[in-house]
Amino acid sequence: VVLVTGGAGGIGAGISARFLEAGATVVICSRRPPAALPAHGGRVAEHHACDVRKADACRALIDAVVARHGRLDVLVNNAGGGSEMPSADADPAVVEKIIQLNLTAAFFMGQAAFRVMRAQPSGGSIINISSVSATRASPWSAAYGAAKAGLVNLTESLAMEWGPERVRVNALIVGLVATPASTDHYGGEAGLARIAQMLPLRRMGAPADVADACVYLASPLAAYVSGAQLAVHGGGEKPVFLDLARPTPSEKKP
């Protein structure tokens, strides 16, 4: 039984569909009912409404999942996001919401899931979806980057605390991923193509790439993997100085 927060769209939908394909019972949550539920091969995810920023709502959701399915094996803390804004003028209320969604929500969901997983002979697996913004500067999205960096530390701390109870906690460091909703953010199809050429694998990530990494971390193949940061970024982003240091064609001497 797998719970994916923010599992209705984008990366979350890809994660949900991949776990359905693997044979899991998949539960997703969001604040509002999605237009469509993730599905695969005739199997459909189950949806619950939940504001993951609220601890009592997280506990109620986990209780509902266990009451219906009898267990919870995997929690994927995928819900997150944030808007670009200059840090000097950032609205304090917006900053707080970004940190709540990307950091404290994972803490609350993890607490609620741990109460269940620790009582199961097989324990459980918690996977936190972090970002390359956690490991490099994140200008104009500083609150988001700081929250994702906090999520990495949370992952390591909980892995150490909860390991004795057979609960593994890991994080994915996710790079640039193309989804229908992100096309405009990356400058349309032309922008996607330019970004793809910057990346070592010459393509942006897809939700399926993130989903496959989640299935691995949830599986017995990762039985001794806990507290890890698994990079899913196609090799990373090329330092911009490499291009700036080289002369342009017009600057080259004949």
Side-chain angles (χ1 to χ4, degrees), residues 16 36-37 60 73 87 89 96 119 154-156 166 186 208 249 251-252:
S16 301
L37 291 171
D73 300 290
S87 298
D89 304 317
E96 289 179 352
L154 178 67
T155 298
E156 295 177 339
R166 304 170 312 285
Y186 291 125
E251 292 173 330
K252 291 181 179 178

Side-chain angles (χ1 to χ4, degrees), residues 14-40:
I15 294 171
S16 301
R18 184 65 181 86
F19 273 110
L20 286 169
E21 182 182 359
T25 296
V26 177
V27 181
I28 66 171
C29 72
S30 58
R31 283 186 293 166
R32 292 176 291 275
L37 291 171
H40 181 85

Side-chain angles (χ1 to χ4, degrees), residues 49-65:
C50 180
D51 185 346
V52 296
R53 298 171 299 180
K54 299 179 179 179
D56 56 350
C58 294
R59 289 193 296 269
L61 172 60
I62 298 293
D63 289 344
V65 172

Side-chain angles (χ1 to χ4, degrees), residues 73-235:
D73 300 290
V74 181
L75 166 65
V76 182
N77 281 312
N78 167 75
S83 55
E84 291 189 356
M85 55 188 175
S87 298
D89 304 317
D91 185 333
V94 175
V95 170
E96 289 179 352
K97 288 180 180 179
I98 290 172
I99 293 173
Q100 288 168 358
L101 180 61
N102 292 281
L103 177 56
T104 55
F107 199 134
F108 296 151
M109 288 297 303
Q111 284 181 317
F114 176 69
R115 290 188 300 112
V116 174
M117 292 175 174
R118 71 187 300 188
Q120 299 174 162
S122 58
S125 173
I126 297 174
I127 303 166
N128 295 323
I129 306 300
S130 188
S131 165
V132 290
S133 293
T135 59
R136 56 150 168 78
S138 188
W140 295 282
S141 55
Y144 174 81
K148 289 300 190 183
L151 186 59
V152 171
N153 183 273
L154 178 67
T155 298
E156 295 177 339
S157 298
L158 297 184
M160 191 165 288
E161 285 192 51
W162 295 350
E165 304 290 344
R166 304 170 312 285
V167 177
R168 296 183 297 109
V169 188
N170 291 289
L172 295 186
I173 307 300
V174 178
L176 304 178
V177 175
T179 68
S182 69
T183 300
D184 290 341
H185 174 72
Y186 291 125
E189 294 300 329
L192 293 176
R194 288 192 297 270
I195 292 171
Q197 289 306 303
M198 174 192 73
L199 301 172
L201 295 183
R202 294 297 187 265
R203 70 173 180 88
M204 291 182 67
D209 296 313
V210 182
D212 286 343
C214 287
V215 171
Y216 160 68
L217 289 175
S219 78
L221 294 174
Y224 201 59
V225 179
S226 191
Q229 303 171 41
L230 178 57
V232 186
H233 57 28

